[in-house]
Structure formats: C-alpha cells, structure tokens
Amino acid sequence: MFNFDVVPGDSVLNILRNSRGDVLDIVARTYRSHESGETINPDSYFLRFPEKPDSRIIALPAFLGAEAGLAGIKWISSFPRNTESGIPRASAVLVLNDYETGYPIALLEAANISAARTAASAAVAAKALRPDGCTGTRVAVVGGGVIARNICDYLHAAGCAPDAYVVHDLHEPSAHALAEHVRATQERPASVTSDLGAALEAETVVFATTALEPYVHRPFAAGQVVLNVSLRDLAPEVVLGAQNVLDDVEHCMKANTSPHLAEQLTGNRDFVSGTLAGVLNGEVKLTADRPVVFSPFGLGVLDLAVGAFALRKAREAGTAVSVPNFFGETRRW
C-alpha cells in the first residue's frame, strides 16, 4: 500500500519509443472511455506570469475510472524562450494516485508522456479522418519542435505514409532538423519551405507551434485535413469554414483557442461537428465538400492512461526506482 516509485525520463522515453503501437491503442481507447462518461477530466488550471506572458505552468487533474483504479495530475510548464538556449520548451511531472486509498503511488517524468499522448491523438485523428490513408498526398508540418517530431513519428507508426513531408518553421534550423529526422527515420522525402502559403496547400496540415494568436486567415479547401494541435494558429473565420472535430468540446472552448474565438464571434457552437471519439464510434459523419479541422485541447486522462502503461513497463523492466519510507506516517496511532 505504501510503495512509491519514481520513473526517470530515460526510462519513460525508452518505453514509449518502443511502444508507439500500444500508445496509439491506449489513446483511442481512452477517448472512447471519456466519451462514454467513464472518466473524470476537470478543467485544466493555468498559472501565468505577468512578466512572461508567453509562459505558463498547467495542472491537469483527472480520474481514469474505477476499473483502472487511478487518479492523478500532470504538472507541465511551457516556457517557449527555453528554445533560445537549445533546451525543450516543456517540462513536466505526472503523479499517479491509488483510487482505493488516495495515496500517491508514483512520480514519472512526463514531458515525454505528454508529447507521446499529444502526438498519438493527432495520429489517431489522422487515421480516422483519412480512412483511405495518406498515399498520394503530402503532409505539411508547421513548427519544427519536439511535438512536431513526435507527431511525425506517430503518423508513421499509425500507417500514415504520405508521398512527402514539407516543413515550415520561422526558425529555419529547426525546420531542417525535422526534415532530416523524417528522412532518416521514415526514408521518405521531406523538404523545407520558407513559404507558409505553400505549406498550407498540402492535403494534411499539422500545426505544432507556440503561437499565442491566429495568423492563418486563408480558408482550407475541401478534402484537406488540418491537425490543429497548437490550437491558436487559425483565425475564427477559418474554423467557421470547416467541419470541426474536437477532443472535448467544453475543454476546447476556453483560453482563446481557435474554436473558442469562433464561439465568441458567433455566440454559438453550431460549427462543431462532434468529437474524435464520435468519429471513431461512427456516430459523427463528415462530408467531402469541406475541410476538416481537428482541435485537441489535451486531456489529462490521456496522460494518466499512457503514464500508467509506462509505470507498469518500468516496473517490469526494473527501471522504476522505489523510494523507501516515502510516507512519514503509515498508521493513525
């Protein structure tokens, strides 16, 4: 009952890199569980800093359900200026709690968990929204950071095999690094463009930036699939011109995300077609006459599900570090 494990980042990273197929299944399954009401996913809580308006630390509490027997919280920071020093923008920890007693049972390095679940959600969406696959198409990635790299890895793991990738980033070295990563890991053509407009013409467009407000005002065309992972790149009129699939409607309609701006502009949510789980379950039908935009706000239940998997694998591999006597008192008297 009073065991407590710490799972360091190198263990988490190795587990997830070798388990992308499992993570894709976990994310899809957790979306369905969340849709059916088996999980609890309260609002995320944002700690902001007046002198650093681009930075924040976010708390994502969640309950994975009685069958899983786990609750927990991810505490993740996003400090975009870190990249100027060559270090990742995000860092995070995940605490897992036992549902029976409420006691925490583990602490995991979670930047890798967060990146994996984010990328897997994008790949699950791509597979669902492009059921005929990506052959004969191009994938454009706007943003060349850690999340973009993970998305490319998970698209590959999900069987998305485009004819080519094109990468756009304001920081050209990052764009070239991502293109080289795709060429090396997928043996697939990948080029870099400084022309955002050219990137936006690809059949599938992935946004993985740190943008704080919209800069894309041109509409997408029928048949295009947009993975709006960074959530704030698209102007509301672009959202209104598309079929919109969200991971969780209430969660997406806050913090001035592109869907939230569209709601503020129109005063309604009529532009929302449904959730990704609804698409997976066959309950949401999309048409070919308009583009599709997938906007995932990011659910704490996904972090818990992927984190629980990483904890189990780390224990099996002996890479979870047990902390003796973590709890100072284990008896009331």
Side-chain angles (χ1 to χ4, degrees), residues 63-234:
F63 173 51
L64 203 52
E67 184 176 346
L70 286 174
I73 189 167
K74 180 177 73 172
W75 180 240
I76 182 166
S77 69
S78 175
F79 279 53
R81 276 178 275 182
N82 285 354
T83 61
E84 297 173 7
S85 302
I87 63 175
R89 168 189 60 86
S91 58
V93 294
L94 176 69
V95 178
L96 298 178
N97 295 72
D98 174 58
Y99 177 48
E100 183 178 352
T101 65
Y103 272 77
I105 62 170
L107 175 74
L108 297 90
E109 189 281 328
N112 290 300
I113 291 171
S114 187
R117 66 83 152 149
T118 300
S121 70
V124 168
K127 192 171 182 179
L129 300 175
R130 275 205 186 285
D132 296 331
C134 295
T135 301
T137 71
R138 296 161 300 152
V139 172
V141 184
V142 181
V146 172
I147 297 300
R149 168 164 47 83
N150 276 270
I151 290 173
C152 292
D153 292 340
Y154 272 90
L155 287 173
H156 183 61
C160 179
D163 287 4
Y165 278 83
V166 58
V167 183
H168 172 82
D169 194 298
L170 295 177
H171 184 248
E172 194 169 316
S174 295
H176 282 285
L178 180 59
E180 175 56 32
H181 174 77
V182 170
R183 289 192 293 265
T185 57
Q186 301 188 25
E187 298 182 349
R188 198 174 306 284
S191 61
V192 171
T193 180
S194 60
D195 184 353
L196 174 62
L200 298 183
E201 293 175 357
E203 288 80 3
T204 301
V205 180
V206 180
F207 288 97
T209 75
T210 57
L212 297 177
E213 57 186 28
Y215 57 90
V216 175
H217 297 272
R218 58 174 280 183
F220 290 97
Q224 283 187 286
V225 171
V226 180
L227 304 178
N228 183 31
V229 177
S230 41
L231 284 175
R232 294 173 178 84
D233 305 77
L234 308 181

Side-chain angles (χ1 to χ4, degrees), residues 18-87:
N18 293 312
S19 308
R20 291 190 179 112
D22 293 308
V23 174
L24 286 165
D25 291 340
I26 289 167
V27 166
R29 187 166 62 247
T30 304
Y31 271 136
R32 288 189 170 102
S33 297
H34 181 65
E35 184 86 351
S36 64
E38 298 172 32
T39 66
I40 300 175
N41 203 107
D43 285 345
S44 302
Y45 299 90
F46 289 72
L47 175 62
R48 300 186 184 277
F49 310 94
E51 296 180 358
K52 289 187 174 184
D54 62 337
S55 301
R56 59 195 185 274
I57 307 179
I58 312 169
L60 288 81
F63 173 51
L64 203 52
E67 184 176 346
L70 286 174
I73 189 167
K74 180 177 73 172
W75 180 240
I76 182 166
S77 69
S78 175
F79 279 53
R81 276 178 275 182
N82 285 354
T83 61
E84 297 173 7
S85 302
I87 63 175

Side-chain angles (χ1 to χ4, degrees), residues 286-300:
L286 302 171
T287 60
D289 60 340
R290 288 191 298 158
V292 179
V293 174
F294 172 58
S295 299
F297 194 78
L299 301 177

Side-chain angles (χ1 to χ4, degrees), residues 211-269:
L212 297 177
E213 57 186 28
Y215 57 90
V216 175
H217 297 272
R218 58 174 280 183
F220 290 97
Q224 283 187 286
V225 171
V226 180
L227 304 178
N228 183 31
V229 177
S230 41
L231 284 175
R232 294 173 178 84
D233 305 77
L234 308 181
E237 60 266 25
V238 177
V239 173
L240 295 175
Q243 300 167 94
N244 289 278
V245 176
L246 283 54
D247 57 353
D248 181 291
V249 177
E250 286 298 328
H251 280 265
C252 281
M253 298 300 183
K254 59 173 64 70
N256 286 332
T257 63
S258 294
H260 187 208
L261 294 177
E263 180 189 36
Q264 294 176 59
L265 180 65
T266 63
N268 61 63
R269 299 177 178 179

